[in-house]
Amino acid sequence: MRRSKAISAMAVTAVSALVLTACGGGEENSGGGSTGDVSGMAEGKAQEGDVFTLADVPEMDPVTVAIDDQFTAYNNDTADANSSYNNYVLTSVLAAPTLLDGNNKVLTNGDVMESIEVTSEDPFTVEWKIKDGAKWSDGEAWDCSDFYLAWLAHSGKADGFNVAFSTGYELIDQPECTDAQTFTAEFSQPYIDYKGLFSSGAILPAHILEQEAGVDDIMSVTPDSSNVSDVAEFWAGGWKGFDEDLMPGSGPYKIKSFDRNSGRVVLDKNPEWIGAKGGPSEVTVRAIPDTQAMATALENGEINVAASTQPDATAANTLQNLESQGVTYGSAPQLTYEHLDLNFDRIFSDEAARKAFFAIVPRQEIIDKLLKGVQPDAEVLQSIVFFQGEDGYQDVYSDKAGQGAEAAEQILQDGGWEKGDDGIYAKNGERFSIEISHNENERRQQTVEIIQSAAANAGIEVTDDQDANFLAGRVDKGDYDVALFGWSSEPFKTTQKNLYSSDGGQNWQGLESEEVDQAYEQAVASTKEDEARQHYQEADKALANAYATLPLFATPSMWGFRGIDRVYMQSYNGALWNVGEWEAAE
């Protein structure tokens, strides 16, 4: 999803003060088998400085791309739909003022934007200048009214939108369209991550909403307007699934068809796109949850690209061994972390239970058995806020997790738990019996099996709760004891506030911590990078001390492709971030 975004795992994230410098960048996998030099594919072909435009290349034949899970919604920014797998499809369908290359560099989208700039420091004001001629695939202008709708929906100032995140948008007090191509926002305080706003599917067609919600002009609707509820109702519910008439494209592609049962999505060219018009004439996106089956599909020629965010050593070995068949294999760290969220509204309201659970999770064993075949240098992640190699990364978890069964039992006994005749601890009549919930994913199932074995030795009963719909209807409702999934984030730390603050829209685990809240508030309000980083480190420590969420690892991507000159799996937007400049391989 997005973030933020949960990546089926998954709930997302002047350049950001905390842009990642070491997670990404296209390092090729050094495991068994030979790989192509994917590092050179991490930048766009026509990318120059801080501006991205699609390169002008010949059109090529249709391609088929496989991802791990299904596309479900055109509007990916509602709390109940927010998923990386929607984002992987929409990245080439819905234009944004900025995008990320394979090195996670924040770039201005030069195909649709003239500029993004701070026009005043006091009051802090930002201007987004749209290129004249930018259009939706139905011929309507992609303009300031679309930005205004995005602000209205994400601002958090009106009920009913069910928006997944509002960080940053809620600081905009006076949005204004000075003309059709210019959106100006005056902020209540400086906001260093302003380039993260309006990104990755946030901008939806205002003209469609006006038509369907019975609004003459979206610009006349404010959070206090009597008809804002009509706008919110359609925004939150009218863009589910797919309806071609209601869901035009503003990027180089549009959605041609979507089969809800199979999850198969077909994209074709946006006839109104003002940028370069090459790349595949059509793109079919298939959901193949079994990573080994995805690798086999590439081997058999059923797909052109296997793009997985769920690393699997067996599948990686298959892909690496297909070099003789013209397959190029790549693997790189993602802006995604696999973790375990504990639900404070159930058994884990008890602090001793949380501490004991942390103590029995054998994170190093999980890394050694499940990740080393994909990324030989994979390490346990010791932070929730930062990735390894990033400025600010610190180890705040190694003294809180993995101490083993004996330590866990001592924690429980000190906390008033007693072991029953069945060998399971109990307190106040409640057995320490929990489910670890996750989507259909073999690696996650194996993760639970490893935890089950360790927990049994400490008198804790763990059941594997595998549900194909867990990320599409349960996790956002807090329907779990422990949720095993991953957050995928753009390189903007401000978006984390929504995940872990007491009133955060994606704080599904019921965490309430004054220390966490205060640290994030101070970080978001900071105007200097060093100051913000210090407060994010404080938030990191406070989260660890709350025993709320346990990081496992930064999830490496793995991908293979054939018949295309270059494919790089961007760590947040997936493989299709630059599909409009793919060419047939020589």
Side-chain angles (χ1 to χ4, degrees), residues 231-302:
V231 173
E233 181 179 3
F234 180 80
W235 190 91
W239 277 315
K240 304 295 186 186
F242 177 64
D243 182 329
E244 186 173 7
D245 293 334
L246 303 182
M247 303 177 184
S250 55
Y253 289 83
K254 63 182 178 66
I255 303 176
K256 178 182 179 181
S257 65
F258 168 53
D259 185 326
R260 185 185 298 273
N261 293 326
S262 68
R264 187 182 300 251
V265 185
V266 180
L267 311 179
D268 62 2
K269 293 297 187 65
N270 173 1
E272 302 291 344
W273 175 246
I274 61 173
K277 306 183 190 308
S281 60
E282 191 173 89
V283 180
T284 297
V285 183
R286 289 179 54 189
I288 305 180
D290 185 323
T291 314
Q292 180 57 41
M294 187 188 296
T296 301
L298 181 63
E299 181 178 16
N300 294 339
E302 300 170 33

Coordinates of all heavy atoms in Angstrom, one line a residue, residues 231-302:
V231 N -19.2 15.9 -3.6 CA -17.9 15.7 -4.2 C -17.1 14.6 -3.5 O -16.5 13.7 -4.1 CB -17.1 17.0 -4.0 CG1 -15.6 16.8 -4.5 CG2 -17.7 18.1 -4.8
A232 N -17.2 14.5 -2.2 CA -16.5 13.5 -1.4 C -17.0 12.1 -1.7 O -16.3 11.1 -1.9 CB -16.6 13.8 0.1
E233 N -18.4 12.0 -1.9 CA -19.0 10.7 -2.1 C -18.5 10.1 -3.4 O -18.2 9.0 -3.5 CB -20.5 10.9 -2.1 CG -21.2 9.5 -2.4 CD -22.7 9.7 -2.4 OE1 -23.2 10.8 -2.2 OE2 -23.4 8.7 -2.5
F234 N -18.5 11.0 -4.5 CA -18.0 10.4 -5.8 C -16.5 10.2 -5.7 O -16.0 9.1 -6.2 CB -18.3 11.3 -6.9 CG -17.9 10.8 -8.2 CD1 -18.6 9.8 -8.9 CD2 -16.6 11.1 -8.8 CE1 -18.1 9.2 -10.1 CE2 -16.2 10.6 -10.0 CZ -16.9 9.6 -10.6
W235 N -15.7 11.1 -5.2 CA -14.3 10.9 -5.1 C -13.9 9.6 -4.4 O -13.0 8.9 -4.9 CB -13.6 12.1 -4.4 CG -12.1 12.1 -4.6 CD1 -11.4 12.8 -5.5 CD2 -11.2 11.5 -3.7 NE1 -10.0 12.5 -5.3 CE2 -9.9 11.8 -4.2 CE3 -11.3 10.8 -2.5 CZ2 -8.7 11.3 -3.5 CZ3 -10.1 10.3 -1.9 CH2 -8.9 10.6 -2.4
A236 N -14.6 9.3 -3.3 CA -14.2 8.1 -2.5 C -14.8 6.9 -3.1 O -14.2 5.8 -2.9 CB -14.7 8.3 -1.1
G237 N -15.9 6.9 -3.8 CA -16.5 5.7 -4.3 C -16.7 5.5 -5.7 O -17.0 4.4 -6.2
G238 N -16.6 6.6 -6.5 CA -17.0 6.6 -7.9 C -15.9 6.1 -8.8 O -16.2 5.8 -10.0
W239 N -14.7 6.0 -8.3 CA -13.6 5.6 -9.2 C -13.0 4.2 -8.8 O -11.8 4.0 -8.9 CB -12.5 6.6 -9.1 CG -12.7 7.8 -10.1 CD1 -13.1 7.7 -11.4 CD2 -12.6 9.2 -9.8 NE1 -13.2 8.9 -11.9 CE2 -12.9 9.9 -11.0 CE3 -12.2 9.9 -8.7 CZ2 -12.8 11.3 -11.1 CZ3 -12.1 11.3 -8.8 CH2 -12.4 12.0 -10.0
K240 N -13.9 3.3 -8.3 CA -13.4 2.0 -8.0 C -13.4 1.1 -9.3 O -14.2 1.4 -10.2 CB -14.4 1.3 -7.0 CG -14.5 2.1 -5.7 CD -13.2 2.1 -4.9 CE -13.5 2.8 -3.5 NZ -12.2 3.0 -2.8
G241 N -12.6 0.1 -9.3 CA -12.6 -0.8 -10.4 C -12.3 0.0 -11.7 O -11.3 0.7 -11.8
F242 N -13.1 -0.2 -12.8 CA -12.8 0.5 -14.0 C -14.1 0.8 -14.8 O -14.9 -0.1 -15.0 CB -11.9 -0.4 -14.9 CG -11.6 0.3 -16.2 CD1 -10.9 1.5 -16.3 CD2 -12.0 -0.4 -17.4 CE1 -10.7 2.1 -17.5 CE2 -11.8 0.2 -18.6 CZ -11.1 1.4 -18.7
D243 N -14.2 2.0 -15.3 CA -15.2 2.4 -16.2 C -14.5 3.4 -17.2 O -14.1 4.4 -16.8 CB -16.4 3.1 -15.5 CG -17.5 3.5 -16.4 OD1 -17.2 3.8 -17.6 OD2 -18.7 3.6 -16.0
E244 N -14.4 2.9 -18.4 CA -13.6 3.7 -19.4 C -14.1 5.1 -19.5 O -13.3 6.0 -19.7 CB -13.6 3.0 -20.7 CG -12.7 3.6 -21.8 CD -12.6 2.8 -23.0 OE1 -13.4 1.8 -23.2 OE2 -11.8 3.1 -23.9
D245 N -15.4 5.4 -19.4 CA -15.9 6.7 -19.6 C -15.6 7.6 -18.5 O -15.6 8.8 -18.6 CB -17.4 6.6 -19.8 CG -17.9 6.0 -21.1 OD1 -17.1 6.0 -22.0 OD2 -19.0 5.4 -21.1
L246 N -15.3 7.0 -17.3 CA -15.1 7.8 -16.1 C -13.6 7.9 -15.7 O -13.2 8.7 -14.8 CB -15.9 7.3 -14.9 CG -17.4 7.1 -15.0 CD1 -18.0 6.6 -13.7 CD2 -18.0 8.5 -15.4
M247 N -12.8 7.2 -16.4 CA -11.4 7.0 -16.0 C -10.4 7.2 -17.1 O -9.7 6.3 -17.6 CB -11.2 5.6 -15.4 CG -12.1 5.4 -14.2 SD -12.0 3.7 -13.5 CE -13.3 3.8 -12.3
P248 N -10.3 8.5 -17.6 CA -9.3 8.8 -18.7 C -7.9 8.7 -18.2 O -7.6 8.8 -17.0 CB -9.7 10.2 -19.1 CG -10.3 10.8 -17.9 CD -11.0 9.7 -17.2
G249 N -6.9 8.7 -19.1 CA -5.5 8.8 -18.8 C -5.0 10.2 -19.0 O -5.5 10.9 -19.9
S250 N -4.0 10.6 -18.2 CA -3.3 11.9 -18.4 C -1.9 11.7 -18.7 O -1.1 12.6 -19.0 CB -3.5 12.8 -17.2 OG -3.1 12.1 -16.0
G251 N -1.4 10.4 -18.5 CA 0.0 10.1 -18.8 C 0.1 9.6 -20.3 O -0.8 9.7 -21.1
P252 N 1.2 8.9 -20.6 CA 1.4 8.4 -22.0 C 0.4 7.3 -22.3 O 0.3 7.0 -23.5 CB 2.8 8.0 -22.0 CG 3.2 7.8 -20.6 CD 2.4 8.7 -19.8
Y253 N -0.2 6.7 -21.3 CA -1.1 5.5 -21.6 C -2.4 5.8 -20.9 O -2.5 6.7 -20.0 CB -0.5 4.2 -21.1 CG 0.7 3.7 -21.9 CD1 1.9 4.2 -21.7 CD2 0.4 2.8 -22.9 CE1 3.0 3.8 -22.5 CE2 1.5 2.4 -23.7 CZ 2.8 2.9 -23.5 OH 3.8 2.5 -24.3
K254 N -3.4 5.1 -21.3 CA -4.7 5.0 -20.6 C -5.1 3.6 -20.4 O -4.6 2.7 -21.0 CB -5.8 5.8 -21.4 CG -6.1 5.2 -22.8 CD -7.1 6.0 -23.5 CE -7.3 5.5 -24.9 NZ -8.0 4.2 -24.9
I255 N -6.1 3.4 -19.6 CA -6.6 2.0 -19.3 C -7.6 1.7 -20.4 O -8.6 2.3 -20.6 CB -7.2 1.8 -18.0 CG1 -6.2 2.2 -16.9 CG2 -7.7 0.4 -17.8 CD1 -6.8 2.2 -15.5
K256 N -7.3 0.6 -21.2 CA -8.2 0.1 -22.2 C -9.2 -0.8 -21.7 O -10.4 -0.8 -22.1 CB -7.4 -0.5 -23.3 CG -8.2 -1.1 -24.5 CD -7.3 -1.8 -25.5 CE -8.0 -2.4 -26.7 NZ -7.1 -3.0 -27.6
S257 N -8.8 -1.7 -20.8 CA -9.7 -2.7 -20.3 C -9.2 -3.2 -19.0 O -8.0 -3.1 -18.7 CB -9.9 -3.9 -21.2 OG -8.7 -4.6 -21.4
F258 N -10.1 -3.8 -18.1 CA -9.7 -4.3 -16.8 C -10.7 -5.5 -16.5 O -11.9 -5.3 -16.5 CB -9.8 -3.3 -15.7 CG -9.7 -3.8 -14.3 CD1 -8.7 -4.7 -14.0 CD2 -10.7 -3.5 -13.4 CE1 -8.6 -5.2 -12.7 CE2 -10.6 -4.0 -12.1 CZ -9.5 -4.9 -11.7
D259 N -10.1 -6.7 -16.3 CA -10.9 -7.8 -16.0 C -10.8 -8.0 -14.5 O -9.7 -8.4 -14.0 CB -10.4 -9.1 -16.7 CG -11.2 -10.3 -16.5 OD1 -11.8 -10.5 -15.3 OD2 -11.4 -11.1 -17.4
R260 N -11.8 -7.7 -13.7 CA -11.8 -7.8 -12.3 C -11.5 -9.2 -11.8 O -10.8 -9.4 -10.7 CB -13.1 -7.2 -11.7 CG -13.1 -7.2 -10.2 CD -14.5 -6.8 -9.7 NE -14.9 -5.4 -10.2 CZ -14.5 -4.3 -9.5 NH1 -13.8 -4.3 -8.4 NH2 -15.0 -3.2 -10.0
N261 N -12.0 -10.2 -12.4 CA -11.8 -11.6 -12.0 C -10.4 -12.0 -12.1 O -9.8 -12.6 -11.2 CB -12.7 -12.5 -12.8 CG -14.2 -12.3 -12.5 OD1 -14.6 -11.9 -11.4 ND2 -15.0 -12.4 -13.5
S262 N -9.8 -11.7 -13.2 CA -8.4 -12.2 -13.4 C -7.4 -11.1 -12.9 O -6.2 -11.5 -12.8 CB -8.1 -12.5 -14.9 OG -8.2 -11.3 -15.7
G263 N -7.8 -9.9 -12.8 CA -6.9 -8.8 -12.4 C -6.1 -8.3 -13.6 O -5.1 -7.5 -13.5
R264 N -6.4 -8.8 -14.8 CA -5.6 -8.4 -16.0 C -6.0 -7.0 -16.5 O -7.2 -6.7 -16.6 CB -5.9 -9.4 -17.1 CG -5.0 -9.2 -18.4 CD -5.3 -10.2 -19.4 NE -5.1 -11.6 -18.9 CZ -4.2 -12.4 -19.4 NH1 -3.3 -12.0 -20.3 NH2 -4.1 -13.6 -18.9
V265 N -5.0 -6.1 -16.7 CA -5.3 -4.8 -17.1 C -4.6 -4.6 -18.5 O -3.4 -5.0 -18.6 CB -4.7 -3.7 -16.1 CG1 -5.0 -2.3 -16.5 CG2 -5.2 -4.0 -14.7
V266 N -5.2 -3.9 -19.4 CA -4.6 -3.6 -20.7 C -4.6 -2.1 -20.9 O -5.6 -1.4 -20.7 CB -5.4 -4.3 -21.9 CG1 -4.8 -3.9 -23.2 CG2 -5.5 -5.8 -21.7
L267 N -3.4 -1.6 -21.2 CA -3.2 -0.2 -21.4 C -2.9 0.0 -22.9 O -2.2 -0.8 -23.5 CB -2.0 0.3 -20.6 CG -1.9 0.0 -19.1 CD1 -0.6 0.5 -18.5 CD2 -3.1 0.5 -18.4
D268 N -3.4 1.1 -23.4 CA -3.0 1.5 -24.7 C -2.7 3.0 -24.7 O -2.8 3.7 -23.7 CB -4.1 1.2 -25.8 CG -5.4 1.9 -25.6 OD1 -5.5 2.7 -24.6 OD2 -6.4 1.6 -26.3
K269 N -2.3 3.6 -25.9 CA -1.8 4.9 -25.9 C -2.8 6.0 -25.6 O -4.0 5.9 -26.1 CB -1.1 5.2 -27.3 CG 0.1 4.4 -27.6 CD 1.2 4.7 -26.5 CE 2.5 4.1 -26.9 NZ 3.1 4.5 -28.1
N270 N -2.4 7.0 -24.9 CA -3.3 8.2 -24.7 C -3.1 9.0 -26.0 O -2.1 9.6 -26.3 CB -2.8 9.0 -23.5 CG -3.4 10.3 -23.3 OD1 -4.3 10.7 -24.1 ND2 -3.0 11.0 -22.3
P271 N -4.2 9.2 -26.8 CA -4.1 9.9 -28.1 C -3.8 11.4 -27.9 O -3.4 12.1 -28.8 CB -5.5 9.6 -28.7 CG -6.4 9.4 -27.6 CD -5.6 8.7 -26.5
E272 N -4.0 11.9 -26.7 CA -3.8 13.3 -26.4 C -2.5 13.7 -25.7 O -2.3 14.8 -25.4 CB -5.0 13.9 -25.6 CG -6.4 13.7 -26.2 CD -6.6 14.5 -27.4 OE1 -5.8 15.5 -27.6 OE2 -7.6 14.2 -28.1
W273 N -1.7 12.6 -25.5 CA -0.4 12.8 -24.8 C 0.5 13.8 -25.6 O 0.7 13.6 -26.8 CB 0.3 11.5 -24.6 CG 1.6 11.6 -24.0 CD1 2.8 11.2 -24.6 CD2 2.0 11.9 -22.7 NE1 3.9 11.4 -23.8 CE2 3.4 11.8 -22.6 CE3 1.2 12.4 -21.6 CZ2 4.0 12.1 -21.4 CZ3 1.9 12.7 -20.4 CH2 3.3 12.6 -20.3
I274 N 1.0 14.8 -25.0 CA 1.8 15.8 -25.7 C 3.3 15.5 -25.7 O 4.1 16.2 -26.3 CB 1.6 17.2 -25.1 CG1 2.0 17.3 -23.7 CG2 0.1 17.7 -25.4 CD1 1.9 18.7 -23.1
G275 N 3.7 14.5 -25.0 CA 5.1 14.1 -25.0 C 5.4 13.1 -26.1 O 4.6 12.9 -27.0
A276 N 6.6 12.4 -26.0 CA 7.0 11.5 -27.0 C 6.0 10.3 -27.0 O 5.4 9.9 -26.0 CB 8.4 10.9 -26.7
K277 N 5.8 9.7 -28.2 CA 4.7 8.8 -28.4 C 5.2 7.4 -28.8 O 4.4 6.6 -29.3 CB 3.8 9.3 -29.6 CG 3.3 10.8 -29.3 CD 2.4 11.3 -30.3 CE 2.1 12.8 -30.2 NZ 1.7 13.2 -28.9
G278 N 6.4 7.1 -28.5 CA 6.9 5.7 -28.7 C 6.6 4.7 -27.6 O 5.7 4.9 -26.8
G279 N 7.4 3.7 -27.6 CA 7.2 2.6 -26.6 C 6.2 1.6 -27.1 O 5.7 1.7 -28.2
P280 N 5.9 0.6 -26.2 CA 4.9 -0.4 -26.6 C 3.6 0.2 -27.1 O 3.1 1.1 -26.4 CB 4.8 -1.3 -25.4 CG 6.0 -1.0 -24.6 CD 6.4 0.4 -24.9
S281 N 3.0 -0.4 -28.1 CA 1.7 0.1 -28.6 C 0.6 -0.3 -27.6 O -0.4 0.3 -27.5 CB 1.4 -0.5 -29.9 OG 1.4 -1.9 -29.9
E282 N 0.8 -1.3 -26.8 CA -0.1 -1.8 -25.8 C 0.6 -2.5 -24.7 O 1.7 -3.2 -25.0 CB -1.1 -2.7 -26.5 CG -2.3 -3.1 -25.6 CD -3.3 -3.9 -26.5 OE1 -3.2 -5.2 -26.5 OE2 -4.2 -3.3 -27.1
V283 N 0.2 -2.4 -23.5 CA 0.8 -3.0 -22.3 C -0.3 -3.8 -21.6 O -1.3 -3.2 -21.1 CB 1.5 -2.0 -21.4 CG1 2.1 -2.7 -20.2 CG2 2.5 -1.1 -22.1
T284 N -0.1 -5.1 -21.5 CA -0.9 -5.9 -20.6 C -0.2 -6.2 -19.3 O 0.9 -6.6 -19.3 CB -1.3 -7.3 -21.3 OG1 -2.0 -7.0 -22.5 CG2 -2.1 -8.2 -20.4
V285 N -0.9 -6.0 -18.2 CA -0.4 -6.2 -16.9 C -1.1 -7.4 -16.3 O -2.4 -7.3 -16.1 CB -0.5 -5.0 -16.0 CG1 0.2 -5.2 -14.6 CG2 0.2 -3.8 -16.6
R286 N -0.4 -8.4 -15.9 CA -1.0 -9.6 -15.3 C -0.6 -9.7 -13.9 O 0.5 -9.4 -13.5 CB -0.5 -10.9 -16.1 CG -1.1 -11.1 -17.4 CD -0.5 -12.4 -18.0 NE -0.7 -13.5 -17.2 CZ -0.2 -14.7 -17.4 NH1 0.6 -14.9 -18.5 NH2 -0.4 -15.8 -16.6
A287 N -1.5 -10.3 -13.0 CA -1.1 -10.6 -11.7 C -0.8 -12.0 -11.5 O -1.6 -12.9 -11.9 CB -2.3 -10.2 -10.7
I288 N 0.5 -12.3 -11.1 CA 0.9 -13.7 -10.9 C 1.5 -13.7 -9.4 O 2.7 -13.4 -9.2 CB 2.0 -14.1 -11.9 CG1 1.4 -13.9 -13.3 CG2 2.4 -15.6 -11.6 CD1 2.4 -14.4 -14.4
P289 N 0.7 -14.0 -8.4 CA 1.2 -14.0 -7.0 C 2.3 -14.9 -6.7 O 3.1 -14.7 -5.8 CB -0.1 -14.3 -6.2 CG -1.2 -14.0 -7.2 CD -0.7 -14.3 -8.5
D290 N 2.4 -16.1 -7.4 CA 3.4 -17.1 -7.2 C 4.6 -16.6 -8.0 O 4.7 -16.7 -9.2 CB 2.9 -18.4 -7.7 CG 3.9 -19.6 -7.4 OD1 5.1 -19.3 -7.5 OD2 3.5 -20.7 -7.1
T291 N 5.7 -16.2 -7.2 CA 6.9 -15.7 -7.9 C 7.6 -16.7 -8.8 O 8.1 -16.4 -9.9 CB 7.9 -15.2 -6.8 OG1 7.2 -14.4 -5.9 CG2 8.9 -14.3 -7.5
Q292 N 7.6 -18.0 -8.4 CA 8.2 -19.0 -9.2 C 7.4 -19.2 -10.5 O 7.9 -19.3 -11.6 CB 8.3 -20.3 -8.5 CG 8.9 -21.4 -9.3 CD 10.3 -21.1 -9.8 OE1 11.1 -20.5 -9.1 NE2 10.6 -21.5 -11.1
A293 N 6.1 -19.1 -10.4 CA 5.2 -19.2 -11.6 C 5.5 -18.0 -12.5 O 5.4 -18.1 -13.7 CB 3.7 -19.2 -11.2
M294 N 5.7 -16.8 -11.9 CA 6.1 -15.7 -12.7 C 7.3 -15.9 -13.5 O 7.4 -15.6 -14.7 CB 6.2 -14.4 -11.8 CG 6.4 -13.1 -12.6 SD 6.8 -11.7 -11.5 CE 5.3 -11.6 -10.5
A295 N 8.4 -16.4 -12.8 CA 9.6 -16.7 -13.5 C 9.4 -17.8 -14.6 O 10.0 -17.6 -15.7 CB 10.6 -17.2 -12.5
T296 N 8.6 -18.7 -14.4 CA 8.3 -19.8 -15.4 C 7.6 -19.2 -16.6 O 7.8 -19.5 -17.7 CB 7.5 -20.9 -14.8 OG1 8.2 -21.5 -13.7 CG2 7.2 -22.0 -15.8
A297 N 6.7 -18.2 -16.3 CA 6.0 -17.6 -17.4 C 6.9 -16.8 -18.3 O 6.7 -16.8 -19.5 CB 4.9 -16.6 -16.8
L298 N 7.9 -16.2 -17.7 CA 8.9 -15.5 -18.6 C 9.7 -16.5 -19.4 O 10.0 -16.3 -20.5 CB 9.8 -14.7 -17.7 CG 10.9 -13.9 -18.4 CD1 10.3 -12.8 -19.3 CD2 11.9 -13.2 -17.4
E299 N 10.1 -17.6 -18.7 CA 10.9 -18.7 -19.4 C 10.1 -19.2 -20.6 O 10.6 -19.5 -21.6 CB 11.2 -19.8 -18.4 CG 12.0 -20.9 -19.0 CD 12.3 -22.0 -17.9 OE1 11.7 -22.0 -16.9 OE2 13.2 -22.8 -18.2
N300 N 8.8 -19.3 -20.4 CA 7.9 -19.9 -21.5 C 7.5 -18.9 -22.5 O 6.7 -19.3 -23.5 CB 6.7 -20.6 -20.9 CG 7.0 -21.8 -20.0 OD1 8.1 -22.4 -20.1 ND2 6.1 -22.1 -19.1
G301 N 7.9 -17.7 -22.4 CA 7.5 -16.6 -23.3 C 6.1 -16.1 -23.2 O 5.6 -15.4 -24.1
E302 N 5.4 -16.4 -22.0 CA 4.1 -15.9 -21.8 C 4.1 -14.4 -21.5 O 3.1 -13.7 -21.7 CB 3.4 -16.7 -20.7 CG 3.3 -18.2 -20.9 CD 2.8 -18.9 -19.7 OE1 2.1 -18.3 -18.9 OE2 3.3 -20.1 -19.5

